[in-house]
Amino acid sequence: MNVQAAQTWQSVQEEVLRRIHAREWKPGDLIPNEAELAKDFGCARSTVNRALRSLAERGLLERRRRAGTRVAAQPVAKATLNIAVIRHEVEDRGARYGYQLALREARVAPTHISAALGVGVQDRLLHVMALHLSDDAPYALEDRWINSVHVPDALEQDFRSISANEWLLQSVPYTRGEISFAAIPASAENAKHLNCPENSAVLAINRLTWDHDHSVTAVQVLFAPGHQMRTQI
Amino acid sequence: MNVQAAQTWQSVQEEVLRRIHAREWKPGDLIPNEAELAKDFGCARSTVNRALRSLAERGLLERRRRAGTRVAAQPVAKATLNIAVIRHEVEDRGARYGYQLALREARVAPTHISAALGVGVQDRLLHVMALHLSDDAPYALEDRWINSVHVPDALEQDFRSISANEWLLQSVPYTRGEISFAAIPASAENAKHLNCPENSAVLAINRLTWDHDHSVTAVQVLFAPGHQMRTQI
DNA sequence: CATGCTTTTATGTGTATACATAATATCATG
DNA sequence: CATGATATTATGTATACACATAAAAGCATG
């Protein structure tokens, strides 16, 4: 069952994908091992490995040493959302970006914030709220707490011309983070900023980032009603 | 500036990450080329390539032929959400999964559905609504249209014991899809199923999948209020 | 028959080498 | 000086080879 010489790992990948989509290899099926496929395709095993590894990363194949490679029974669709700087997001849509600082204060944080950031309940943190605009319409409301105990530089920034969003990315590294998506009703205050009725359904993204063992920032970004995040799978 | 022999691509990656996080290489900086790093680390260039390529895939590095590799100026956080079979999602949370078919009909679809699926406005499509339960509480409402013109097998399924969600994944391949996330107010009908007040903010995931040039299905999944999707970055 | 050791096997990875390719830099020429 | 040909260079990839490692299968022993 020799196939024409496929020289690139992409072409091997395409052929493997074709076989999966054509159901020649069905979900759950064990596929031939790398050495056999290499012989079949007339290429080196490393080339097959590259192709299969990449498909496994995408969730279409499941690989285990010694056990072999099988087609994922229920391929988990991996939706990768790019969480970019909000300014870029707006500009990429071809709109004019605007920015308004709504609040900047150093104060003791609510307990759920200080707990999330792992700081003492008495520590004063930097609280920044800002509105991001797209063609002068409210686009997203950023409600952020910065761990100014570990990021003291933040206290010297007024965040009037550069958003905390951008300043942090440029200035403070992080090694890991958590992110969550939810739909929540807009509070009276949120609704005022976003120029929408109270209790409107808004998309909320919560992020918590850490630099090694130090928390950096906790932020909630609320998008104006109707906002969609899109991606391909 | 010789570093101790780093034999694995993971250790090279870790050291590169350390330098980025320690700001030895700052956002926007050009880093040494693969050959130099290989000499530095005392390993082969392919090993360095593997490490850097993987970091580039994660969005931390930007690579261009001849131009070299630089630290991403504003690393785009890539949040990868696993959109699994809903049953697995519930079971993974340690809850008991339940399933109730709410509606199954073959009829002419609303124009926005037939347009999205690229079928004629007069074509009868299969419409399925089902409720997914977690410990007997409403978890998600699945509102699906299946392109039964191209997936006629679907007409023979009653979807009473297996959800359309699972049946399609097992039975019908797709090559590509679009997915979008939004927050919407629950309609009266949705609210009844989800057992929540009308206009509650609910997280909606819309998916549209294709098998080559044929649309397969358009589905909206509404999660009960309070639902969060989480991931690490 | 259960339990733990050993063998086998498929994937995972590192190396040296070679060539491909994109993109920049340089140079020649009008 | 502008323009296009050419050289250079860093990444991208294919190959053959070797060895590492996880896990299944087989085997021996109590």
Side-chain angles (χ1 to χ4, degrees), chain A residues 9-10 34 66 70 82 100 106 108 140 153 170 172 182 185 199 229:
Chain A
W9 69 266
Q10 287 97 335
E34 295 186 345
R66 156 81 212 201
R70 50 183 74 240
N82 289 339
Q100 283 172 10
V108 168
D153 287 359
Q170 279 172 23
V172 186
N199 292 322
M229 302 198 66

Side-chain angles (χ1 to χ4, degrees), chain A residues 7-10 42-47 50 64-67:
Chain A
Q7 290 136 341
T8 72
W9 69 266
Q10 287 97 335
C43 66
R45 182 169 79 89
S46 7
T47 307
R50 179 85 158 87
R64 268 166 57 224
R65 272 179 170 152
R66 156 81 212 201

Side-chain angles (χ1 to χ4, degrees), chain A residues 105-222:
Chain A
E105 55 177 359
R107 48 162 290 206
V108 168
T111 51
H112 74 276
I113 297 288
S114 51
L117 289 173
V119 298
V121 287
Q122 313 249 28
D123 284 328
R124 286 156 63 87
L125 303 179
L126 189 60
H127 183 205
V128 177
M129 282 185 66
L131 188 63
H132 300 264
L133 305 159
S134 171
D135 282 341
D136 299 321
Y139 179 80
L141 180 63
E142 174 185 354
D143 184 351
R144 181 183 297 270
W145 290 86
I146 301 175
N147 182 350
S148 40
V149 177
H150 282 110
V151 189
D153 287 359
L155 295 168
E156 282 150 36
Q157 284 290 325
D158 62 14
F159 298 119
R160 270 187 286 191
S161 52
I162 184 173
S163 70
N165 180 316
E166 280 184 70
W167 181 80
L168 278 168
L169 269 177
Q170 279 172 23
S171 318
V172 186
Y174 67 89
T175 51
R176 61 198 167 87
E178 281 177 30
I179 192 162
S180 74
F181 300 78
I184 64 170
S187 70
E189 192 193 2
N190 295 335
K192 196 186 66 189
H193 283 117
L194 291 173
N195 194 26
C196 67
E198 196 174 337
N199 292 322
S200 299
V202 294
L203 186 62
I205 298 188
N206 279 282
R207 256 175 302 172
L208 185 58
T209 57
W210 298 76
D211 183 24
H212 298 99
D213 291 336
H214 305 318
S215 66
V216 174
T217 185
V219 61
Q220 179 173 64
V221 177
L222 299 182

